[in-house]
Amino acid sequence: MGRRKKIVQECERLMDTPENIRNIAIAAHIDHGKTTLTDNLLAGAGMISSDLAGEQLAMDTEEDEQERGITIDAANVSMTHEYQETNHLINLIDTPGHVDFGGDVTRAMRAVDGALVVVDAVEGTMPQTETVLRQALREGVKPALFINKVDRLINELQEGPEEMQERLQSVIGDVNELIRGMAEEKYEEGWKVSVQDGTVAFGSALYNWATSVPQMQETGIDFADIIEYNRNDEIDELREYSPLSTVVLDMVAEHFPNPVKAQPERVPTVWRGDDTTELAEGMRLVDDEGDVVFMVTDIGIDPHAGEIATGRLFSGTLERGQDLYVSGTAGTNRIQSVGIFMGGEREEVESVPAGNIAAVTGLRDAIAGSTVSSTEMTPFESIEHISEPVITKS
Ligand code: GDP
């Protein structure tokens, strides 16, 4: 059996255990390194060849995006990661880093429970950092922070351990100011990011290493050591002791809520229907035997399969042949196929249970933002776009 087939089988197995699923988005200001980080996470999880990571831009599936060098469409991948002897299924939704795609960022946030916010260590927080945080918090999505391009502090700015720590602290302080300003209550509940709690990691997506307090405790590698490895041209060793994908995905598994924990809190934030119904209970419990409730966050085009609706399945199980209602339209649509994304490709599977990100064909009336369900229901709250001035990439 090929390696890819094995990964697909493992993902299918893990899909049935919502406690071990993390639905996350990576969000960042343009050029802060989201694509490089995503590629290296995929490579670390064995999804793409590590030689191609960074060049392949696995998440940039549209030719147009590759030409323009920016990520436009929210693409999706699933990967597996072992943490504390348990394998986890990590469904990752890519979000556009460009400010004029704010609507897509918000839609992606609806589908996830955790947002990994990437900030360039040299540039610090930027307007889009604020926008993505605002969108995440408004959707009830928990933030964690990855401070990227730390190699530049060492190699270009020639900073020592104290200066480096000061700079990182200042980025963390700025991010926490933003969180507190936007969600005082959540901030008090521990949504501020903290080095000590392990909700902050930092490193270099480009050179494929990262660290965090839990990782430093495990490896004994501190700031001075990191600087030494960089200065002595021993990046390969640093990468081996403190690999980016392990550090970042450990943080994801530990700190982002699984759907069972997240949905009881998220459902009242994004849905205003009657909470005494069985349908509401199905969503709160992530019940794979409940009514199908699927929130479409993105419509993509596959050259062979046609329109593909991607989104978060809050309740029930999606299967081929189901006739489902699409909010705002009359009648039902029949599901032709169900699948998950692996790299830039869609893999068809027999069924997808509640708590997962699913990709389905046959929903010809659905648009991004549609609520798709097995019984007629109050649709999810409409997704508000946060608009801001358009900043073009220089
Ligand atoms: P995105 O716009 O957020 O997706 O950013 P990209 O991943 O495309 O990265 C933007 C630029 O920053 C590219 O030239 C990357 O090679 C570079 N880059 C990304 N991560 C790092 C890093 O950790 N260190 C350095 N020095 N450059 C990086």
Side-chain angles (χ1 to χ4, degrees):
M1 191 193 300
R3 194 176 58 113
R4 188 178 170 82
K5 183 121 184 115
K6 273 194 203 143
I7 297 176
V8 175
Q9 281 199 348
E10 182 62 4
C11 287
E12 275 191 277
R13 192 181 69 78
L14 291 169
M15 282 195 303
D16 290 329
T17 318
E19 286 79 3
N20 296 339
I21 296 172
R22 303 291 182 277
N23 295 316
I24 69 161
I26 300 186
H29 190 82
I30 182 104
D31 273 349
H32 281 199
K34 181 166 52 72
T35 310
T36 312
L37 173 66
T38 305
D39 276 0
N40 278 322
L41 293 183
L42 283 173
M47 302 290 301
I48 56 172
S49 152
S50 49
D51 298 342
L52 292 177
E55 284 172 35
Q56 181 164 320
L57 302 179
M59 298 289 274
D60 286 353
T61 49
E62 310 260 327
E63 255 174 52
D64 181 41
E65 291 175 27
Q66 299 215 351
E67 270 168 31
R68 295 170 66 191
I70 56 171
T71 314
I72 298 171
D73 203 10
N76 311 274
V77 295
S78 300
M79 60 186 119
T80 62
H81 175 65
E82 191 164 321
Y83 175 64
Q84 292 185 341
E85 288 167 24
T86 304
N87 218 0
H88 290 74
L89 175 61
I90 298 179
N91 294 317
L92 170 60
I93 288 210
D94 187 32
T95 59
H98 204 264
V99 279
D100 48 346
F101 304 119
D104 284 345
V105 178
T106 321
R107 278 198 288 271
M109 288 301 170
R110 177 68 52 95
V112 300
D113 304 313
L116 185 61
V117 179
V118 177
V119 177
D120 178 329
V122 178
E123 279 207 338
T125 57
M126 294 290 279
Q128 182 72 356
T129 316
E130 183 172 345
T131 308
V132 291
L133 261 174
R134 190 190 300 276
Q135 284 159 331
L137 294 169
R138 201 169 54 180
E139 290 284 323
V141 169
K142 188 179 181 206
L145 176 64
F146 179 69
I147 306 179
N148 190 30
K149 306 198 188 183
V150 172
D151 61 286
R152 293 185 60 198
L153 302 183
I154 302 165
N155 300 330
E156 287 170 38
L157 304 182
Q158 301 281 319
E159 291 186 348
E162 281 93 51
E163 281 168 290
M164 239 171 88
Q165 283 184 68
E166 264 170 42
R167 190 186 285 267
L168 297 175
Q169 273 311 332
S170 137
V171 173
I172 294 164
D174 288 347
V175 168
N176 278 328
E177 272 305 298
L178 293 175
I179 299 175
R180 183 163 42 191
M182 293 167 206
E184 184 77 39
E185 256 171 60
K186 296 275 187 201
Y187 185 86
E188 295 302 326
E189 283 167 30
W191 278 31
K192 68 182 155 197
V193 293
S194 136
V195 175
Q196 288 310 324
D197 294 352
T199 43
V200 176
F202 38 89
S204 169
L206 187 62
Y207 295 110
N208 221 344
W209 61 267
T211 194
S212 61
V213 161
Q215 179 74 3
M216 282 179 162
Q217 282 162 351
E218 205 178 302
T219 58
I221 296 175
D222 62 13
F223 279 100
D225 299 326
I226 288 171
I227 292 174
E228 283 298 297
Y229 281 119
N230 275 274
R231 299 240 159 99
N232 298 341
D233 231 356
E234 292 168 345
I235 290 295
D236 285 350
E237 273 132 87
L238 180 56
R239 191 182 293 145
E240 195 179 311
Y241 295 135
S242 219
L244 177 84
S245 63
T246 309
V247 172
V248 172
L249 296 179
D250 279 1
M251 179 165 82
V252 164
E254 173 69 31
H255 292 286
F256 286 146
N258 65 55
V260 180
K261 187 149 185 273
Q263 281 190 202
E265 293 196 17
R266 292 210 62 219
V267 169
T269 312
V270 298
W271 185 70
R272 302 281 148 77
D274 182 353
D275 65 1
T276 61
T277 55
E278 266 181 37
L279 182 132
E281 185 72 352
M283 284 200 269
R284 281 193 297 271
L285 297 178
V286 197
D287 184 359
D288 60 358
E289 290 175 4
D291 294 299
V292 171
V293 181
F294 180 55
M295 162 86 203
V296 178
T297 53
D298 184 46
I299 302 281
I301 305 288
D302 180 291
H304 307 293
E307 280 197 356
I308 301 185
T310 303
R312 166 74 172 262
L313 184 61
F314 283 86
S315 163
T317 296
L318 280 171
E319 275 164 5
R320 186 191 164 142
Q322 283 167 332
D323 291 311
L324 301 175
Y325 294 95
V326 178
S327 60
T329 67
T332 55
N333 286 174
R334 179 161 296 178
I335 298 270
Q336 303 295 332
S337 73
V338 295
I340 55 172
F341 280 101
M342 311 274 290
E345 291 164 53
R346 187 176 51 97
E347 285 285 341
E348 287 189 10
V349 292
E350 284 292 309
S351 61
V352 176
N356 283 283
I357 307 289
V360 308
T361 61
L363 295 176
R364 59 179 193 280
D365 295 330
I367 54 168
S370 293
T371 304
V372 174
S373 54
S374 53
T375 52
E376 285 186 275
M377 65 179 280
T378 306
F380 284 99
E381 288 294 286
S382 59
I383 295 176
E384 270 175 61
H385 298 180
I386 296 175
S387 53
E388 59 187 310
V390 172
I391 300 168
T392 46
K393 194 184 181 190
S394 57

